[in-house]
Structures are given as C-alpha cells and as structure tokens.
Amino acid sequence: MANPLADCVSSLRSSNHLLGNSITILDSGVNDFPRLIKVLQTTKHFELLPSSDLSAAQSRLLSSLTPEFNALLARVETHLSRLERREQALIARCELLEGRLSMSGEDSDATRKSSGGGRLGRKSNASEGDGGREALRLKQTRARKERLEYAVERLSLQAQQRERQLRKSIAAQ
C-alpha cells in the first residue's frame, strides 16, 4: 500500500509546485496592472469637432461681435470728427488772433507816429492828419474784413460738418 500512496504524494507535490509557479506568474502579471491601465488609458489632448459645428460657432461669434465693433467704430469716428472740428476752429481762431495782433501792432505804431513822437509830429498840417485818420480807418476796415472772412469760413466748415453728419446718418439707416 505504500506504493500507491507514494504516487499520490508525488502527484500532490508536483501539483503544489505547479500551483506555486502559476501563482508567481499570476502575481507578476497582476502587479503590472496599474501600469498597464495607465499605458492603455486614452487621454484626449485635443477634441475634434465637426467643421459644421466650428463654422456655426464662428458665425455666432461674428454676429455677436459685429454690432459692438460697429458701435465702437461709430464712437471713434464721432470723436475724431469732433477733434478735427475743434482743431480747425482753433487754427482759425489762432489765425484771427494773429491778424488782430498784427493789426493792433500796426495800429499802435500808427497811433504813436500820429500822436507825435516828437516836435515834428505835433507840427503836422491838416492834410497829414486826414491821411492818418484815413490809414486808421483803412486798418479798421481790414480788421473787420478779416473777422467777417473768419466768420464765413467758420460757418462754411459747420455746414460741411453737418452735411457729413447727415450723410453718415443716412448711410447708417
């Protein structure tokens, strides 16, 4: 009876050894699962969209931004035109004031000469006095003419500006 039991024990030992080898193989395979999960896991770095979705999003963005851009452009154009008008008005005023200063400088020179810078000025005859008055009147007339020219130029610039504004409002409608 010893012989059949010995065969059974040897078979049991070989099965145990085979089972131990299977466990170590399975253990090494199972230990590698977390790394395999990370390796095999798919990560979306870029999301692909259909071109129709992309074009629809672009058109929605364009339709929402276009009115805002147009409003901002209109505000900028209005502000620029206001600044241009102000610049033109300041230039015209500067020219007018320069003309007045030059006229007042000439008037003061003429006044000093006619008021008598010395004894010779006091002894002037009546005809020279009329000539001085005539020169003074001429200078005053020139100054008045310059003021009127300035006023006409300013009014024409205002008319042109109003025409531009009218054209813009008609074009906007």
Side-chain angles (χ1 to χ4, degrees):
M1 257 215 201
N3 199 9
L5 285 177
D7 288 337
C8 193
V9 167
S10 70
S11 174
L12 184 62
R13 280 188 184 149
S14 69
S15 294
N16 192 15
H17 182 21
L18 184 64
L19 198 61
N21 285 342
S22 298
I23 288 175
T24 48
I25 290 172
L26 280 175
D27 191 32
S28 66
V30 169
N31 284 338
D32 201 28
F33 272 170
R35 185 188 68 84
L36 286 176
I37 289 172
K38 283 189 175 186
V39 168
L40 296 175
Q41 186 179 24
T42 58
T43 305
K44 290 184 178 181
H45 294 287
F46 301 102
E47 188 172 343
L48 299 177
L49 297 173
S51 61
S52 60
D53 291 348
L54 185 61
S55 62
Q58 285 176 340
S59 65
R60 282 193 309 263
L61 182 64
L62 182 65
S63 66
S64 68
L65 291 180
T66 301
E68 293 178 28
F69 282 137
N70 290 337
L72 287 174
L73 285 174
R75 284 178 56 193
V76 166
E77 287 174 357
T78 304
H79 188 66
L80 285 176
S81 65
R82 188 178 306 137
L83 287 176
E84 286 175 359
R85 285 192 316 262
R86 186 171 181 205
E87 179 186 19
Q88 291 171 354
L90 288 174
I91 288 171
R93 183 164 187 229
C94 178
E95 291 172 355
L96 176 67
L97 291 175
E98 284 176 355
R100 287 181 181 173
L101 281 176
S102 66
M103 286 297 175
S104 67
E106 291 173 6
D107 287 345
S108 64
D109 291 343
T111 307
R112 278 189 231 130
K113 289 178 184 175
S114 65
S115 67
R119 293 182 182 176
L120 294 174
R122 289 184 197 139
K123 292 183 179 179
S124 64
N125 59 21
S127 65
E128 288 179 8
D130 289 339
R133 281 189 223 132
E134 186 68 26
L136 182 60
R137 191 171 65 82
L138 180 65
K139 288 179 185 176
Q140 289 174 346
T141 307
R142 285 184 185 156
R144 183 173 179 226
K145 179 183 172 187
E146 285 184 13
R147 286 193 306 268
L148 290 173
E149 286 175 350
Y150 167 73
V152 167
E153 183 179 346
R154 184 175 45 87
L155 290 173
S156 67
L157 289 174
Q158 287 176 351
Q160 288 174 357
Q161 180 62 32
R162 287 186 183 137
E163 287 175 8
R164 275 190 240 126
Q165 288 176 346
L166 181 62
R167 280 190 222 122
K168 284 181 183 177
S169 67
I170 289 172
Q173 293 173 356

